Amino acid sequence: MIGKFLNRINELSMLRDNWNYEGAKPIHATVCRQAKALVVRLSENILKSLVVFPDVDGTLLFDVRSDNSHSTIFVCDNFFSYILKKKSGNNEVFSGCSWNKDSDVNAMISKIEDSLS
């Protein structure tokens, strides 16, 4: 399953300037590296619900949905942010998290994993 997402990120890395015909930027190489590093850390449970999208600013969005929650991870060059929307109404927003801090990445993965159950 990991290979599927690595291939998807490779495909998105080929997008060129103005790929949406409205001025979208190509996906930054650093963003692709960060996204690939994240994919290999995600659990099978998260991967089953994952969809990867390009964003117009040259970043990637990871979307994870279940019956109980909807999470969006904003994969940027030097940082990531994420939003957890839960059916219970206890929504959480985390911004400016560091790729260089394993505690930030592990906390995000754990929160998303917990929200899926």
Side-chain angles (χ1 to χ4, degrees), residues 12-13 25-33 57-60 76-77:
L12 295 173
S13 74
K25 296 178 181 173
I27 307 303
H28 300 255
T30 306
V31 169
C32 291
R33 281 193 298 278
D57 63 355
T59 61
L60 293 172
C76 304
D77 287 3

Side-chain angles (χ1 to χ4, degrees), residues 42-68:
L42 297 177
S43 70
E44 190 79 16
N45 194 33
I46 294 173
L47 291 173
K48 284 186 219 174
S49 304
L50 179 65
V51 180
V52 179
F53 296 99
D55 202 2
V56 296
D57 63 355
T59 61
L60 293 172
L61 301 176
F62 280 28
D63 199 58
V64 181
R65 293 178 189 241
S66 74
D67 291 339
N68 299 320

Side-chain angles (χ1 to χ4, degrees), residues 31 34-35 38 41-42 59-60 62 72-83 93-112:
V31 169
Q34 299 292 19
L38 178 57
R41 293 179 71 169
L42 297 177
T59 61
L60 293 172
F62 280 28
T72 303
I73 306 166
F74 303 87
V75 180
C76 304
D77 287 3
N78 300 314
F79 68 94
F80 65 94
S81 299
Y82 59 105
I83 299 170
V93 177
F94 301 89
S95 61
C97 302
S98 174
W99 291 117
N100 296 324
K101 288 178 66 180
D102 267 352
S103 59
D104 283 358
V105 179
N106 290 338
M108 174 191 60
I109 292 169
S110 179
K111 286 179 180 288
I112 292 172

Side-chain angles (χ1 to χ4, degrees), residues 9-29 32 54-59:
I9 294 164
N10 285 336
E11 289 171 4
L12 295 173
S13 74
M14 307 271 201
L15 292 173
R16 298 293 169 230
D17 201 32
N18 198 34
W19 53 265
N20 69 343
Y21 302 103
E22 293 183 15
K25 296 178 181 173
I27 307 303
H28 300 255
C32 291
D55 202 2
V56 296
D57 63 355
T59 61

